[in-house]
Amino acid sequence: MTTYAVTGASGKLGRLVLDEMLHKVAAGDLVALARDPAALSEYAAKGVQVRQADYDDPASLEAALKGVDRVLLISGNAVGQRGRQHGNVIEAAKKAGASYLAYTSILNARNSRLALAPEHKETEELLEASGLNHDVLRMPWYSDNYVGGLAPAIEAGAIYGAAGQGRLSTASRADLAAGAAAALVNGKGGDVYELAGDQSWTMDDFAREVSKHSGKPVKYVNQSEADFAKTLEGAGLPPPIAALLASTSYLAGHGELYNDQRQLSRLSGRPTTPIGESIRQALG
């Protein structure tokens, strides 16, 4: 009997991975790790083994991964702390004798100029040094990040950014969860997947799709990185977050979120969701 563990299982991606896994393996063979096990009570009711674990608490990780064969390490959200936190999970998986670990990294992690890339690169290097059999699941920006909260943009008739005509190869969380679950069950180790969506798009394309599905005219307004950061601050975002998002948008305009290899759909066994469909779903 093989036992599968999903770390960070109470997050949005983690829950979708659990849902995918329940179609692939018996609930009793699935271990869900979360800081607050009560947050996953509905999965415990289905027979999933829900265990308390905190990326900042190595002892909790060692206890939670005891007896686990295959691990999905979903990257944490504590920016600036993730290299150390992920190292704790990797060490705990080694001590547990896990035979395989898959890690959710970022697209083109080793060469990316994105501000979030260095911690992912650090984790990939920790995995290499660990000797654990592993695969790297390099993920793009979520389509969900773009389609959430469209109402103000539709009302204003404008979507702002700094990406110019850069093409973005996003994928939905659900698409990426399907790929991650497939790797957790079937991954052999030694592979690096660039898990981009099947279709790439520009912000002009995005605005046209929003207009189509909302029935209201919406245009894309391109700004400089600095001006877009000011726009985001004006919308209420803290300056550090605004700067991060503006930098990401600008770098997306220079190819940092583009990939045409279609490895995600091959891994998951299904096409990824087009951005227009994500917009349609978000608008109801």
Side-chain angles (χ1 to χ4, degrees):
M1 182 182 72
T2 302
T3 304
Y4 307 85
V6 178
T7 76
S10 60
K12 292 179 180 178
L13 179 63
R15 287 173 176 271
L16 290 169
V17 172
L18 293 179
D19 293 339
E20 290 286 340
M21 290 296 293
L22 286 171
H23 293 295
K24 297 176 178 291
V25 304
D29 295 337
L30 185 57
V31 178
L33 276 59
R35 283 195 300 266
D36 177 14
L40 293 174
S41 57
E42 71 269 36
Y43 292 96
K46 295 177 181 179
V48 175
Q49 302 179 54
V50 178
R51 301 178 183 175
Q52 196 279 332
D54 188 323
Y55 288 176
D56 286 316
D57 182 355
S60 74
L61 292 165
E62 290 174 24
L65 290 176
K66 188 174 182 179
V68 166
D69 301 298
R70 298 174 66 87
V71 180
L72 173 65
L73 168 51
I74 294 180
S75 60
N77 57 13
V79 176
Q81 304 298 318
R82 294 188 290 182
R84 174 184 55 78
Q85 291 179 334
H86 298 163
N88 289 340
V89 179
I90 292 166
E91 186 61 27
K94 280 186 65 176
K95 289 182 178 179
S99 62
Y100 173 86
L101 186 147
Y103 169 63
T104 64
S105 187
I106 197 170
L107 208 62
N108 190 35
R110 295 301 177 99
N111 300 305
S112 176
R113 293 174 290 167
L114 295 176
L116 295 179
E119 288 181 302
H120 291 290
K121 179 181 178 183
E122 178 185 357
T123 304
E124 290 189 17
E125 291 171 347
L126 288 172
L127 270 171
E128 284 186 0
S130 74
L132 268 175
N133 182 42
H134 68 277
D135 287 329
V136 175
L137 313 178
R138 291 180 176 167
M139 298 192 169
W141 240 231
Y142 299 136
S143 299
D144 312 53
N145 292 346
Y146 291 89
V147 304
L150 283 173
I154 293 170
E155 183 177 350
I159 294 171
Y160 294 86
Q165 292 302 306
R167 302 195 69 81
L168 290 77
S169 307
T170 63
S172 72
R173 276 195 187 89
D175 294 333
L176 292 161
L184 182 55
V185 173
N186 298 314
K188 295 178 174 60
D191 290 316
V192 176
Y193 295 94
E194 303 284 355
L195 298 183
D198 289 342
Q199 293 94 25
S200 62
W201 47 272
T202 67
M203 290 302 299
D204 281 328
D205 295 333
F206 184 82
R208 280 192 291 270
E209 288 290 334
V210 173
S211 296
K212 173 183 173 181
H213 293 289
S214 68
K216 297 182 179 180
V218 179
K219 64 179 179 179
Y220 171 60
V221 179
N222 195 63
Q223 299 181 297
S224 68
E225 180 180 344
D227 285 344
F228 185 40
K230 291 177 183 176
T231 296
L232 293 171
E233 287 182 38
L237 290 180
I241 302 299
L244 172 66
L245 294 177
S247 171
T248 299
S249 182
Y250 173 77
L251 290 171
H254 293 76
E256 292 293 339
L257 292 177
Y258 174 74
N259 182 279
D260 62 358
Q261 297 178 35
R262 300 193 175 191
Q263 292 186 3
L264 175 53
S265 55
R266 289 199 293 273
L267 179 61
S268 68
R270 70 192 197 203
T272 62
T273 308
I275 192 63
E277 175 60 17
S278 291
I279 291 168
R280 186 193 68 79
Q281 292 174 7
L283 296 179

